[in-house]
Amino acid sequence: MQLRNIVNFVYYSTTEENKEKPSQKPSDADQKTLEKILETLANQSMREKNISLKELDDILQNAINEPGNDPAQAASVDEPKHDDTKSVTKYLIEKGYLRDEKNWLTKKGFLAVGNQILRNLMNDLKTDEFGLHETKKIGSGTTVLDTSKKFEIGNDLKFLNVQNTILNTIQRISKNNPTLKFPLDIDVDDFEEFETVNDVRASVVYCIDLSSTMKSSLANSGMSRIEAAKRALWSLYILNNKFFPNDSVSVIGFASMASVIDPYDIPFLKTYDANDDFLHYTNYQAAFRLAKKILLKNAAQNKRIVLITDGQPSACFVDTEHQKNKILSEKPYSNFYVPSESLLSKIKQERNIKIHNDKNSLVYLCYKYKKVDPKVHEQTLAEAKKCRRENIDIDTIVISEETELLTYVQDLEKEFSGRTYHINQNNMDKVLVIDYLFNTKKILSSKNNWN
């Protein structure tokens, strides 16, 4: 069995939630307008540049008046009017979707837009071929699906699909005898059982690269890497929150240092650049260290770190004077960094991000074009191995065309039996959602027994 059953379930569930009660059912034009508004809010919230509500109102009005929308109904979602007295944004504020602040999505707006993103994603997955293999873990799961497979002797009878079993018996007997006699003579080959998924509690920390290069775009896409990553994490959070609440999904943003990200701030995440002191470097170790701290507090059976990056590590921590002196003995002019309190306060105020700053550690900065400094690699690998000793899996998603980066990450993952995904950023949301379902909701089937 494939993941298609779960995808269909999620898609139709999100679709049903979007439907109004019969007495309030919107017209097709209103439904399309609502979807256009939600999609526009998603796109604008993920842009690097903050925009005002007035600018947002103009963008929304232009979007819903595009060809294909009826101008007479375009601004109507429960009949809001776009005029001097009631703009689209004012209407959305009244309904609780927006607020007059820099990060203007409310929690209600965040969930509504995220649900639309997830529904669109599931619609794409519903029609695509996933191309994924079955899990290698075979056994009895805990969540029953509505699909069946041939019953295997020794399996639990509580998952027996009685209706299909009897139907199989009737079809088999009818081939040779048009008259049915009761009681039916049921053969063991007639038995079917419901397929199950292994619903094991999982805790996943997604570490998103916020270094300066993440704001660049691939040549064939108008979407930047950071925007693609945010859209993917947004839909993933909604999926987890709605359908797998017993699992834990956390988000970390990292560059030279790492920060825990409130899920509701995902759309408004921004990369660091040269104006942010030395925060725009790439420190895998910072992501691993903070993710490990989060996961060790969680009692979940499956613990994973998923690193999303477009660059090789160019920074690491220096925790002791001995480590610092060792680096200086080889490179006397090495650059060590500690952010100032004023910068930390500025970042927290402007971005609602609290940088995880260990006052006993320095950050060693060493950027090498298409290469990784040996000391940076050594510290990065050491931190990853600490995670593995705590039974934390680490996988990396590479969103770059650089062969050197992919080679480095693959070699790094081999050191601790992790996996590397090299993807087109336009498919990142699909990859993350399928990876999440495939690795935390194991599909169990007797068709491929690789034990």
Side-chain angles (χ1 to χ4, degrees):
M1 179 191 164
Q2 294 178 318
L3 289 167
R4 191 172 303 280
N5 290 292
I6 294 181
V7 169
N8 285 340
F9 172 74
V10 173
Y11 170 72
Y12 287 116
S13 297
T14 54
T15 301
E16 287 299 315
E17 283 194 6
N18 278 1
K19 291 182 179 179
E20 301 284 345
K21 295 178 181 178
S23 60
Q24 301 174 332
K25 186 176 180 181
S27 66
D28 290 342
D30 285 346
Q31 185 63 35
K32 289 180 180 178
T33 299
L34 174 60
E35 292 175 3
K36 176 66 75 172
I37 288 175
L38 294 176
E39 182 66 25
T40 304
L41 288 175
N43 292 336
Q44 292 305 317
S45 64
M46 288 185 285
R47 297 285 187 256
E48 281 279 304
K49 178 182 177 297
N50 285 327
I51 63 173
S52 66
L53 281 180
K54 185 178 184 306
E55 291 173 310
L56 177 63
D57 193 71
D58 292 338
I59 292 170
L60 286 172
Q61 186 61 31
N62 289 334
I64 61 181
N65 282 335
E66 285 180 353
N69 288 316
D70 182 355
Q73 301 182 22
S76 170
V77 182
D78 195 19
E79 298 184 357
K81 305 297 182 184
H82 184 76
D83 53 30
D84 293 336
T85 60
K86 181 169 288 189
S87 65
V88 178
T89 51
K90 185 176 180 180
Y91 173 81
L92 293 173
I93 289 174
E94 290 176 357
K95 292 296 182 181
Y97 293 97
L98 299 182
R99 58 191 172 198
D100 192 7
E101 294 181 20
K102 179 174 59 180
N103 293 356
W104 26 254
L105 275 180
T106 63
K107 289 187 177 180
K108 180 179 178 180
F110 172 89
L111 294 173
V113 176
N115 189 72
Q116 181 70 33
I117 294 173
L118 179 63
R119 191 168 72 92
N120 291 343
L121 169 61
M122 288 298 168
N123 186 44
D124 289 341
L125 290 180
K126 196 165 66 71
T127 56
D128 286 349
E129 290 298 326
F130 304 136
L132 292 180
H133 297 291
E134 307 281 352
T135 178
K136 295 184 180 181
K137 296 185 179 179
I138 308 301
S140 176
T142 57
T143 301
V144 181
L145 301 178
D146 60 358
T147 53
S148 295
K149 63 179 182 180
K150 185 177 177 59
F151 180 78
E152 294 185 19
I153 302 299
N155 283 358
D156 198 329
L157 285 172
K158 70 180 180 181
F159 295 129
L160 187 68
N161 187 333
V162 177
Q163 180 176 334
N164 281 15
T165 298
I166 294 175
L167 182 60
N168 291 340
T169 300
I170 293 173
Q171 289 175 339
R172 176 179 53 81
I173 294 175
S174 298
K175 288 180 180 179
N176 300 319
N177 191 341
T179 304
L180 287 177
K181 295 182 180 180
F182 293 90
L184 295 173
D185 183 15
I186 300 177
D187 189 272
V188 68
D189 289 334
D190 300 329
F191 281 74
E192 283 193 21
E193 61 181 333
F194 287 109
E195 292 190 290
T196 60
V197 291
N198 190 10
D199 194 7
V200 179
R201 282 191 61 202
S203 183
V204 187
V205 178
Y206 292 91
C207 302
I208 178 174
D209 190 342
L210 299 180
S211 61
S212 56
T213 55
M214 282 288 285
K215 64 174 135 186
S216 62
S217 302
L218 294 179
N220 63 345
S221 171
M223 186 164 42
S224 71
R225 292 166 179 168
I226 184 68
E227 289 170 7
K230 288 190 292 185
R231 178 177 285 269
L233 291 174
W234 196 346
S235 59
L236 193 65
Y237 176 79
I238 298 296
L239 175 73
N240 168 254
N241 188 56
K242 288 166 62 68
F243 299 101
F244 307 108
N246 289 330
D247 291 347
S248 168
V249 168
S250 304
V251 178
I252 285 175
F254 74 97
S256 295
M257 308 181 79
S259 310
V260 177
I261 305 300
D262 187 312
Y264 295 102
D265 289 330
I266 289 173
F268 300 96
L269 279 175
K270 290 179 173 53
T271 57
Y272 296 104
D273 56 35
N275 294 325
D276 297 310
D277 209 357
F278 291 99
L279 290 177
H280 58 288
Y281 283 66
T282 305
N283 187 347
Y284 288 13
Q285 186 188 14
F288 294 155
R289 182 173 291 188
L290 185 53
K292 176 164 64 72
K293 184 177 181 180
I294 293 172
L295 291 169
L296 288 180
K297 295 179 181 178
N298 195 295
Q301 295 169 270
N302 295 337
K303 298 178 181 180
R304 294 179 67 214
I305 296 172
V306 179
L307 193 79
I308 304 168
T309 185
D310 74 334
Q312 296 171 332
S314 55
C316 69
F317 287 123
V318 176
D319 298 313
T320 66
E321 196 68 23
H322 173 72
Q323 289 177 348
K324 180 180 178 181
N325 291 335
K326 189 175 179 181
I327 293 173
L328 287 173
S329 66
E330 299 176 10
K331 296 181 178 179
Y333 302 104
S334 294
N335 188 6
F336 300 96
Y337 171 64
V338 177
S340 65
E341 289 298 326
S342 60
L343 178 64
L344 294 176
S345 178
K346 175 188 173 186
I347 295 297
K348 184 174 181 180
Q349 182 178 4
E350 292 181 353
R351 304 184 182 220
N352 197 29
I353 288 178
K354 183 179 180 181
I355 293 177
H356 186 70
N357 181 29
D358 187 344
K359 295 182 179 180
N360 297 320
S361 299
L362 301 173
V363 179
Y364 168 53
L365 306 172
C366 186
Y367 173 76
K368 288 188 172 184
Y369 182 66
K370 295 189 176 182
K371 291 183 180 180
V372 179
D373 179 80
K375 295 300 179 186
V376 172
H377 171 71
E378 181 183 314
Q379 290 292 90
T380 301
L381 180 58
E383 198 71 45
K385 287 185 174 180
K386 288 179 183 178
C387 294
R388 288 298 298 123
R389 285 196 290 271
E390 298 291 347
N391 294 317
I392 298 171
D393 294 327
I394 302 176
D395 299 325
T396 305
I397 292 180
V398 175
I399 44 174
S400 170
E401 299 301 309
E402 286 187 12
T403 304
E404 293 82 2
L405 170 61
L406 184 60
T407 301
Y408 173 77
V409 171
Q410 287 175 330
D411 291 342
L412 180 68
E413 292 280 3
K414 286 178 184 177
E415 295 283 348
F416 43 82
S417 301
R419 290 170 297 184
T420 304
Y421 301 90
H422 182 212
I423 66 170
N424 181 317
Q425 68 192 39
N426 296 324
N427 295 325
M428 193 190 308
D429 49 2
K430 295 181 183 179
V431 171
L432 281 187
V433 166
I434 292 175
D435 169 75
Y436 174 77
L437 293 173
F438 190 68
N439 285 289
T440 63
K441 306 293 152 193
K442 303 292 186 182
I443 304 297
L444 305 173
S445 172
S446 60
K447 296 176 184 176
N448 298 308
N449 193 334
W450 291 303
N451 279 351

